[in-house]
Each structure stands twice: as structure tokens, then as C-alpha cells.
């Protein structure tokens, strides 16, 4: 029998290390000279001779427990995981800075808002809510938008979402709403989906969630990229100035590149083609120097203004429409650096709503109050030690000193005798009534009781406001999303109960969903604590489409090319895309590349199977006539075209591609979004046109259901 390749005693790698003679005679480690390979060591620093074979008695004998290197290596591996976040487990973060536009001293004493042009380091983590850490990016879900700003007066965490309202009004309901959306406990599915009985059962029994449900069933819940979504602080907070005067404030992050979402059918396919679609997008944007940017806007108002509404500004299921109270830009957030290590930074970052600097304070929103309690608990559970603030990602970047000490993994252990105050030694920090955080002295009184205020009782008016503020395609998407989700609910009475709520929101919406679900008869409208207001003006600011960016910047064009592709057109295209500050990928039958019409070899980014059109914002078909003859029989080539068309994308094509359009079933329905490219001038016009991002007039005829 042939000898086994792992020779007894020494592996090939170990032999290589031996040749380097890095140990001195006394066993001491020599400094590693430049160019020399550093020696692998144990965590205790001991150099390792063989990392390929464990220590055993005899060539084929048992492994020995004295193999401390093996034991340490497996021990550490076995403990590599920390509990994932109970919500928002799947996330992706980046570093950057916040830049203040102007002094807001009139409203807040927060140091971060005092000086125009000042930059403060920041870290942001985007996330989905329901799915576990390894779930896919394009779930229909709320996105977390958590920002940590390392101010000179401590960390300010604005732990927000991409939706400005929430499902529940009181934090005591949080475990229930989250349990309902997570996989059902007996079967542990479905993963990262709200489309199941438990979720809709809870929602249909919780009328206060109706406004949020409208948002979650809208395109907001399937964003094209983290870079193209808004962020919201959700709750009403307070700014407090140096005179201890309070102004209510709501925080909004607005993306510089505008808002954009994908189609549901597209989202489903993206999850298969690239489950990391959102994190890859952020990674690529930052690595290529296209730093994502958001403007921080605030809505500022006082108690008198708040009293003018018939809803409560402490109710997190309500917004103040921007048309009623315009937002004011106060700074910008730029993300310009990926973490060096995902675990150390993105996984271990600990956001806490309680982290507010002097000058920013809480309102009595019962959801916010509950969150202020929850986030500290969760960090201890996840990070395992009260010293989680010692981790570099969580540590303040301003000077800090306190007398907290010891505990698991304490990394900051001050020298000296003093670990309390006051002390007689005249040492150590003391409190400062002037610089320190002063809680806003709001007047609170009233009987102690478990109660929901009357002012929180209107559950439908703003749900309706959201629906009537959407453009027709966006309204269709809400109908389709509700229909899809409720179609996955197996208990008919839950479907009907949901439709009974929709009747209180908008009758047409309810009827369309009821019809699409095949309800035999419409239910009665749900009993409502307050009638739905019919007189609210639509708020165009709530629509993604109405405020579209109208430019292709930051988007990605997929160019499908083959041997013989028109070289001049390809050059014109790639130059135009680059001028537009957009990106492109070349997709070819083989990833190696193709020979263009001028004989030049061009490397591809994707092969056809790996680069379906769902990964791109618009596509161009640049095959040669010879290649098309074969491609018409290739299912992935036909899908590439048919999907792009069905998802209302712009399609540029050369005449040679027509047989492929025909076999994809769209040659007879070409429209303003299918554009023939023949020369460089046509390319420029195409690039301008695709800034509209989607061909919405096409949608009703596509019937993508
Ligand atoms: Fe959270 N939430 N939440 N939440 N939340 C957490 O904290 C909680 C709520 C939000 O990227 C947990 O560190 C309660 C609203 C984001 O690390 C936990 C309530 C909003 C993130 C927690 C809410 C959010 C979290 C889990 C009801 C939008 C991810 C892990 C009162 C304004 C932060 C962790 C990150 C994470 C509790 C409701 C946003 C368990 C009790 C409303 C973006 O502490």
C-alpha cells in the first residue's frame, strides 16, 4: 500500500519552519527580520512546531491530552460565537464621521452641535430585524439604522430604523411582537419572514400596529441598498439648551443618493443570487471611494405645537408630516471606512438608546422609556461582561474617568489607591453640576396605574395618510404585499380579520386585497376606538417614487456582452457610466471574458449564471449576432432579459440582440424603457433616461404577481 501523505512526526509545513532556524540556543524567540515569516504561536505566546497534526501515541494511535496546543486551539474555536442579537441579528457596519452644519446652541447644549464644520467620528450598523445572523439581506423587513457618534461629551447612540413609526405603543408588548414574527417555536420556521400565521395573528389583534404595517408592506421594507434608505429616530426626543430649556425634536437621516427599493419578485430572486446583496453593496461603495452620505434633519417643535395635534407626540406610531412641519438639515454623516474586523466592530458594537450626551434628552414615549431599560441588559447578555465599554468600538473617544472596576476581562485597570470619591487624597475625578448631564426637569404627576392614554387611540388615520400618499405603483405594491403575506397565512379567519382592519384604512385597498385573496364576502370593518380621519392631506414626502433621485449616480449597470460585442459601444457605455458616478459589471457567457469586435480581450465580472439581471439597476444587451444564435436557447439568457423587463428596468440593446428579446417574450411589447443603442450619442441619452430607475408605466401590463 502507498504511504500516507501525512508522514509521521513532521509535516511538510513544519519542515519549512525548521529551515528558518528562528529559535535561539536558549529557546528564546529571535526578532523576525523583514521578509521573514512570523512564527505561529499559541495564545500564551509559545511557538508552534506543527499545526497540521495533533500529538498521538503511535502513528495510528489515540490523541494525547497533553497536546496543549491542540487543546487550546479547539477550546478557543468552541467559544468563538457570542449570542447573536435577539433582534437585528443580521447587520453590517461602517465607520465614518458626522459633520455639523451650524451651531444649534439656541436649542441644545450638546457639544456635537456647537461648531459649524466640526467632524465627529461615527459608526453605523444597518440591520434586518427578524432574521438570524446568517439570513438573507432582502427579507421584507424593517431595517435598523443605528448610529454611534463619539462626541466630546460621550457617545451618542441614535438607534433608529428606516421606518419612522413602530408596531407597538408600549415596550411591554415588544417580546410579543418579536416572538410573533420570529420562526414559530414548535417548527422553527419560517426564517426572516413575516408571511406566516403567528405574525398576522398578532398584528390583526393589535390595531395600533396598522400604521407600521402599511410601511412594512410598502417598498420601504425591501430597499435596494442601505445607501438608498432613510433613517429615523422614531421617538420624540428633547433638545435641551444651556438655559435648561427644552425643544422637542425628531431625527431624520436622508440619503444623498435618494431613495430606492426593489420589486418583491426581484427581492426573492436576489436572495438566491446574492444573499449578501446589501452588505456587498456597502462594501463595494466604500472600497471604491463612493462614500455613502446622509443628511441629518430635525423637526423642532414646542409643547404648544404638539398640543395642536389630535394625536400624541409621545405615541411612536405617529409621524409629523414634513409638509406640516418641515425638516431642517443640521449636519451630514459620511461612511468612509469598513471595519478591519467584522466581529470586533460590527458584531460587538453595543448601541444603547440611553447613550445621550448633555443637551439631548428623552421624552416620555413609553416605547423609548422601555428601550432605555432594555439595551443595557442585552449588552451584558451578549458581550458577557459589564466591561463591554472597554472594547475599542464601544469605548468613548473623549477623555473619561470613573471608579467602576474589576469584573470579567477588565482591560482598564487604573494604578493607585483611590477607587472612590469623595476621598481625602485629592485625587481622581469629581462630578460637575455645570458640565454634567442634567435631566430635563419635566413636571410629572398622576396616579400610578397601567393604562394607555386616550391620546394614543387613533390607529387608522395615519395608516390611511401613508396609503393615500403613495403613487399608483407604490399602492399596487402594498396591495400585492398584503396579498402575498396573507396568502401564506393558513388560518382563514386571520386573513379576514386583517381585511377588516384594511377597511378602516382605505376601502379600495381592502377590497383589492380581499378580492386577490379570494374572500367569498367582505368582512365588517374592525371595531375602531376612533373613526379614521378622512380629511388628512396626502404627504408626498412619504413616497419613494415621487421623490426619486432622477439620476443613475451610485447605481449599477449590468452589461451582458459576448465575443464580437461592439467595442466602440462598450467603450462609450463604460465611459458614460463612470462619468455618471455609477458602477457597471460585465456579464459574459464565461467569467474569463470575451473578445470584443476590435479583437481586444476583455475580462468579465460575472458569468451569466452568476450575474442575473436582478443584481443590476438597468441592463444593456451587447451580444454579437453569432452569439445570439446560441443564446436564444439558454434559459438563463432569456431569464436575464425577461426578469429585467418584468421588474420594470431600463433595457438598452443592440439590434443583434433582437432574437433574444423575441425568445424572452418581449419583442412585441417594447416600450419607452427598451432602448436601442446604435452610437455614442444614443448611449448618452440612455444614461440620462435610466436615471428614472424604473419604467413604472410598464408595470400594469407586466402583471407580476
Ligand atoms: Fe430595539 N433592540 N428594541 N428598537 N433595536 C435591540 O439591542 C428593544 C425598537 C433597534 O445594530 C436590542 O443590542 C425594545 C425600536 C436597532 O446593534 C434590544 C424595544 C427601534 C437595533 C432591543 C425596541 C429599535 C435594536 C437587541 C421596544 C427603532 C440594532 C440587540 C421598546 C427606533 C442595533 C441590541 C444594532 C436592537 C430592544 C424597539 C431599533 C434587545 C425592548 C422602536 C436599530 O436591546
Amino acid at each position: 500500500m502507498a504511504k500516507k501523505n501525512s508522514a509521521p512526526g513532521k509535516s511538510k509545513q513544519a519542515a519549512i519552519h525548521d529551515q528558518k532556524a528562528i529559535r535561539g540556543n536558549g529557546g528564546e524567540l529571535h526578532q523576525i527580520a523583514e521578509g521573514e515569516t512570523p512564527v505561529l504561536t499559541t495564545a500564551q505566546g509559545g511557538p508552534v512546531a506543527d499545526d497540521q497534526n495533533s500529538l498521538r501515541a503511535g502513528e495510528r494511535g489515540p490523541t494525547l491530552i497533553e497536546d496543549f496546543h491542540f487543546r487550546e486551539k479547539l477550546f478557543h474555536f468552541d467559544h468563538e460565537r457570542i449570542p447573536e442579537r435577539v433582534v437585528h441579528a443580521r447587520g453590517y457596519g461602517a465607520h465614518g464621521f458626522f459633520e455639523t452644519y451650524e451651531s444649534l446652541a439656541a436649542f441644545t447644549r450638546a457639544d456635537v452641535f456647537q461648531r459649524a464644520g466640526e467632524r465627529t467620528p461615527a459608526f453605523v450598523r444597518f440591520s434586518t430585524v427578524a432574521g438570524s445572523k446568517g439570513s438573507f439581506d432582502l427579507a421584507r423587513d424593517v431595517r435598523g439604522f443605528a448610529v454611534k457618534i463619539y462626541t466630546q461629551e460621550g457617545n451618542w447612540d441614535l438607534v433608529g430604523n428606516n421606518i419612522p413609526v413602530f408596531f407597538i405603543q408600549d415596550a411591554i408588548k415588544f417580546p410579543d411582537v418579536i416572538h410573533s414574527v420570529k420562526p414559530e417555536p414548535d417548527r422553527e420556521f419560517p426564517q426572516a419572514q413575516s408571511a406566516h400565521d403567528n405574525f398576522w395573528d398578532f398584528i390583526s389583534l393589535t390595531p395600533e400596529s396598522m400604521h407600521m404595517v402599511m410601511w412594512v408592506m410598502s417598498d420601504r421594507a425591501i430597499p435596494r441598498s442601505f445607501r438608498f434608505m432613510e433613517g429615523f429616530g422614531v421617538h420624540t426626543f428633547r433638545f435641551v439648551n444651556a438655559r435648561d430649556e427644552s425643544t422637542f425634536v425628531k431625527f431624520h437621516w436622508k440619503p444623498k443618493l435618494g431613495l430606492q427599493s426593489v420589486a418583491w419578485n426581484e427581492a426573492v430572486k436576489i436572495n438566491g443570487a446574492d444573499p449578501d446583496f446589501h452588505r456587498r453593496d456597502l462594501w463595494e461603495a466604500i472600497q471604491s471611494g463612493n462614500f455613502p452620505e446622509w443628511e441629518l434633519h430635525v423637526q423642532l417643535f414646542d409643547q404648544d405645537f404638539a398640543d395642536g395635534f389630535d394625536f400624541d407626540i409621545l405615541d411612536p406610531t405617529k409621524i409629523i408630516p414634513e409638509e406640516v412641519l418641515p425638516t431642517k438639515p443640521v449636519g451630514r454623516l459620511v461612511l468612509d471606512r469598513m471595519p478591519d474586523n467584522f466581529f470586533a466592530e460590527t458584531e460587538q458594537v453595543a448601541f444603547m438608546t440611553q447613550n445621550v450626551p448633555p443637551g439631548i434628552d428623552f421624552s416620555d414615549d413609553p416605547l423609548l422609556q422601555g428601550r432605555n431599560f432594555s439595551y443595557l441588559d442585552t449588552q451584558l447578555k451578549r458581550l458577557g461582561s459589564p466591561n463591554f465599554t472597554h472594547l475599542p468600538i464601544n469605548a468613548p473617544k473623549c477623555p473619561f474617568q470613573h471608579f467602576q472596576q474589576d469584573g470579567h476581562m477588565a482591560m482598564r485597570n487604573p494604578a493607585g489607591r483611590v477607587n472612590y470619591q469623595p476621598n481625602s487624597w485629592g485625587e481622581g475625578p469629581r462630578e460637575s453640576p455645570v458640565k454634567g448631564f442634567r435631566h430635563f426637569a419635566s413636571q410629572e404627576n398622576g396616579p400610578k396605574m397601567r393604562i394607555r392614554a386616550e391620546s394614543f387611540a387613533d390607529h387608522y388615520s395615519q395608516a390611511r395618510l401613508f396609503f393615500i400618499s403613495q403613487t399608483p405603483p407604490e399602492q399596487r405594491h402594498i396591495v400585492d404585499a398584503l396579498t402575498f403575506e396573507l396568502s401564506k397565512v393558513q388560518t382563514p379567519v386571520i386573513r379576514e380579520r386583517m381585511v377588516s382592519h384594511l377597511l378602516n384604512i382605505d376601502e379600495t385597498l381592502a377590497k383589492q386585497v380581499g378580492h386577490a385573496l379570494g374572500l367569498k364576502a367582505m368582512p365588517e370593518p374592525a371595531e375602531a376606538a376612533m373613526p379614521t380621519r378622512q380629511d388628512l392631506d396626502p404627504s408626498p414626502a412619504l413616497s419613494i417614487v415621487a421623490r426619486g433621485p432622477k439620476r443613475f449616480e451610485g447605481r449599477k449597470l449590468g452589461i451582458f456582452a459576448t465575443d464580437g460585442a461592439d467595442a466602440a459601444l462598450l467603450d462609450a457605455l463604460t465611459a458614460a457610466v463612470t462619468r455618471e458616478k455609477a458602477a457597471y459589471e460585465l456579464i459574459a457567457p464565461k467569467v474569463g471574458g470575451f473578445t470584443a469586435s476590435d479583437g481586444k480581450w476583455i475580462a468579465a465580472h460575472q458569468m451569466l449564471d452568476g450575474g442575473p439581471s436582478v443584481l443590476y439597476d438597468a441592463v444593456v444587451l451587447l451580444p454579437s449576432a453569432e452569439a445570439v444564435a446560441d443564446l436564444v436557447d439558454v434559459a438563463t439568457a432569456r431569464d436575464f432579459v425577461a426578469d429585467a423587463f418584468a421588474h420594470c428596468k431600463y433595457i438598452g440593446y443592440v439590434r443583434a440582440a433582437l432574437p433574444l428579446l423575441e425568445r424572452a417574450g418581449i419583442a412585441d411589447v417594447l416600450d419607452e424603457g427598451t432602448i436601442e443603442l446604435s452610437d455614442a450619442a444614443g448611449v448618452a441619452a440612455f444614461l440620462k433616461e435610466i436615471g428614472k430607475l424604473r419604467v413604472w408605466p410598464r408595470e400594469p401590463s407586466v402583471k407580476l404577481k
Side-chain angles (χ1 to χ4, degrees):
M1 225 180 96
K3 193 128 176 71
K4 288 191 205 74
N5 58 8
S6 58
K10 234 170 239 174
S11 72
K12 210 167 151 201
Q13 283 86 341
I16 293 167
H17 279 290
D18 281 358
Q19 288 162 15
K20 294 214 156 163
I22 43 169
R23 264 196 178 283
N25 286 341
E28 78 283 0
L29 274 179
H30 280 305
Q31 283 293 75
I32 293 157
E34 204 164 320
E36 208 176 341
T37 309
V39 174
L40 181 75
T41 70
T42 65
Q44 306 279 357
V48 171
D50 181 350
D51 194 37
Q52 316 302 321
N53 305 291
S54 51
L55 187 69
R56 59 182 59 97
E59 188 177 342
R60 299 174 57 246
T63 305
L64 299 180
I65 208 162
E66 74 174 73
D67 186 351
F68 54 83
H69 166 52
F70 166 76
R71 163 96 172 97
E72 180 199 81
K73 187 174 175 184
L74 282 231
F75 149 80
H76 200 278
F77 173 75
D78 290 342
H79 294 268
E80 268 177 15
R81 291 286 173 275
I82 60 173
E84 64 174 37
R85 288 164 175 80
V86 59
V87 281
H88 297 266
R90 182 166 178 80
Y92 209 54
H95 293 274
F97 61 85
F98 176 74
E99 185 178 300
T100 308
Y101 284 167
E102 60 184 281
S103 168
L104 295 181
F107 301 104
T108 174
R109 64 192 266 245
D111 186 71
V112 66
F113 288 121
Q114 299 308 304
R115 294 162 295 277
E118 187 171 277
R119 291 183 174 189
T120 309
F123 185 81
V124 178
R125 183 174 178 273
F126 302 106
S127 49
T128 50
V129 176
S132 56
K133 194 168 171 273
S135 55
F136 39 83
D137 277 349
L138 256 295
R140 173 176 292 285
D141 200 353
V142 187
R143 297 300 182 290
F145 193 125
V147 184
K148 191 182 279 293
I149 302 182
Y150 302 90
T151 86
Q152 282 310 300
E153 290 181 331
N155 294 346
W156 174 31
D157 292 355
L158 188 54
V159 198
N161 281 345
N162 75 331
I163 289 179
V165 288
F166 202 61
F167 290 107
I168 46 167
Q169 295 173 320
D170 189 315
I172 200 168
K173 296 308 297 167
F174 191 63
D176 298 299
V177 64
I178 297 303
H179 287 174
S180 81
V181 73
K182 288 269 183 182
E184 300 189 5
D186 51 354
R187 58 209 72 182
E188 184 58 9
F189 64 78
Q191 174 61 238
Q193 319 248 358
S194 49
H196 60 114
D197 285 55
N198 274 12
F199 178 70
W200 288 103
D201 185 33
F202 177 82
I203 292 296
S204 64
L205 295 168
T206 310
E208 72 203 58
S209 65
M210 290 307 143
H211 186 193
M212 178 74 165
V213 163
M214 286 292 106
W215 285 80
V216 176
M217 292 300 111
S218 80
D219 296 346
R220 298 266 177 167
I222 38 174
R224 155 67 174 80
S225 156
F226 297 137
R227 300 179 293 134
F228 309 147
M229 58 184 208
E230 286 179 307
F232 302 93
V234 176
H235 316 279
T236 298
F237 289 84
R238 287 177 189 277
F239 270 161
V240 182
N241 66 15
R243 291 192 301 277
D244 290 327
E245 295 158 342
S246 151
T247 307
F248 289 123
V249 55
K250 279 186 166 281
F251 295 104
H252 304 243
W253 296 105
K254 292 183 180 283
K256 192 178 161 199
L257 294 173
L259 291 169
Q260 191 188 336
S261 286
V262 301
W264 173 242
N265 180 277
E266 190 184 2
V268 170
K269 291 173 177 166
I270 290 173
N271 283 332
D274 184 4
D276 305 306
F277 190 65
H278 281 161
R279 49 177 68 182
R280 192 185 307 281
D281 173 89
L282 190 65
W283 171 272
E284 285 179 355
I286 293 180
Q287 300 301 43
S288 63
N290 294 313
F291 302 137
E293 188 171 328
W294 287 261
E295 215 167 37
L296 179 64
H297 286 230
V298 292
Q299 284 179 303
L300 298 171
F301 56 101
D302 60 16
Q303 189 65 57
D304 281 351
F305 182 84
D307 292 343
F309 293 115
D310 52 6
F311 62 86
D312 202 319
I313 55 112
L314 301 182
D315 174 357
T317 68
K318 302 296 184 294
I319 57 160
I320 302 177
E322 290 183 26
E323 289 78 5
V324 175
L325 178 60
T327 67
K328 171 186 166 67
V330 297
R332 67 186 187 121
L333 170 75
V334 178
L335 298 181
D336 58 4
R337 182 166 64 86
M338 290 310 298
D340 292 329
N341 183 288
F342 177 88
F343 177 81
E345 295 157 85
T346 309
E347 192 58 12
Q348 292 198 119
V349 65
F351 293 97
M352 307 206 296
T353 50
Q354 312 88 299
N355 284 352
V356 284
I360 300 177
D361 207 339
F362 313 115
S363 71
D364 292 339
D365 174 342
L367 198 66
L368 177 59
Q369 299 272 319
R371 295 180 73 197
N372 287 343
F373 176 80
S374 172
Y375 286 70
L376 185 58
D377 262 355
T378 211
Q379 308 315 345
L380 182 62
K381 170 74 185 169
R382 263 175 35 76
L383 299 167
S385 158
N387 292 318
F388 66 87
T389 55
H390 296 196
L391 298 171
I393 192 69
N394 295 324
K397 294 193 195 297
C398 62
F400 60 95
Q401 44 278 315
H402 51 74
F403 295 117
Q404 294 160 23
Q405 67 174 30
D406 304 349
H408 283 294
M409 308 292 168
M411 295 296 168
R412 295 172 194 278
N413 302 297
R417 183 181 195 181
V418 173
N419 59 355
Y420 57 90
Q421 65 96 3
N423 64 67
S424 306
W425 322 122
E427 285 177 27
R430 298 296 295 264
E431 68 267 32
S432 163
V434 179
K435 292 189 179 156
F437 189 96
R438 295 189 300 274
H439 292 266
F440 178 67
S442 59
Q443 295 285 342
E444 311 290 350
N445 62 40
K448 188 193 290 182
M449 53 188 172
R450 292 185 185 275
I451 194 167
R452 193 76 56 91
E454 244 337 272
S455 52
F456 282 45
D458 180 357
H459 303 319
Y460 299 106
S461 299
Q462 287 210 350
R464 176 178 174 76
L465 169 72
F466 182 78
F467 186 70
I468 63 172
S469 302
Q470 305 300 305
T471 58
E474 291 170 305
Q475 289 192 338
R476 274 198 299 272
H477 299 165
I478 293 175
V479 171
D480 290 348
L482 281 161
T483 308
F484 176 86
E485 295 265 321
L486 294 173
S487 78
K488 296 285 178 187
V489 170
Q490 290 167 354
T491 314
V493 68
I494 299 177
R495 292 184 210 142
E496 280 162 32
R497 212 190 287 142
M498 257 325 289
V499 175
S500 74
H501 288 293
L502 299 181
L503 278 166
N504 287 343
I505 297 172
D506 183 89
E507 205 179 327
T508 317
L509 163 70
K511 284 190 172 150
Q512 286 175 344
V513 174
H515 176 73
L517 286 172
L519 293 196
K520 290 215 180 73
M522 283 299 274
E524 288 297 306
E527 212 175 295
M530 276 178 75
T532 311
R533 284 186 61 171
Q534 305 291 326
D535 59 336
L536 296 176
D537 290 331
S539 162
L542 300 178
S543 160
I544 295 177
V545 169
R547 284 192 156 187
K550 313 268 188 292
R551 60 189 202 281
F552 203 64
E553 182 182 348
R555 273 69 183 176
K556 200 189 251 182
L557 183 69
I559 306 173
F560 176 52
T562 64
D563 283 340
D566 184 326
L569 261 186
L570 184 58
D571 277 352
L573 256 178
T574 53
V577 169
T578 310
R579 265 198 311 277
E580 199 67 21
K581 295 202 201 120
Y584 68 88
E585 273 190 357
L586 297 173
I587 306 119
K590 292 181 183 162
V591 73
F594 56 93
T595 310
S597 60
D598 60 357
K600 253 201 250 142
W601 174 257
I602 299 177
H605 300 94
Q606 305 281 357
M607 75 172 208
L608 191 51
D609 280 16
S613 61
V614 293
L615 301 182
Y616 307 102
D617 294 291
V619 296
V620 169
L621 309 174
L622 213 59
S624 62
E626 301 76 66
V628 162
D630 289 337
L631 282 172
V632 290
D633 292 328
V634 178
T636 40
R638 295 198 302 266
D639 287 351
F640 187 92
V641 178
D643 271 349
F645 190 80
H647 299 144
C648 299
K649 288 179 185 167
Y650 282 87
I651 303 176
Y653 65 94
V654 289
R655 189 154 280 268
L658 274 171
L660 185 56
L661 298 182
E662 201 165 309
R663 282 296 296 277
I666 66 166
D668 295 339
V669 286
L670 298 183
D671 57 22
E672 80 253 35
T674 44
I675 300 171
E676 188 180 332
L677 303 174
S678 40
D679 54 17
V683 164
F686 176 71
L687 251 288
K688 214 168 150 19
E689 195 62 10
I690 63 178
K692 293 182 196 155
L693 302 178
R694 299 283 163 133
V695 193
W696 295 121
R698 182 191 297 160
E699 199 182 39
S701 63
V702 174
K703 295 207 168 43
L704 191 67
K705 282 201 182 150

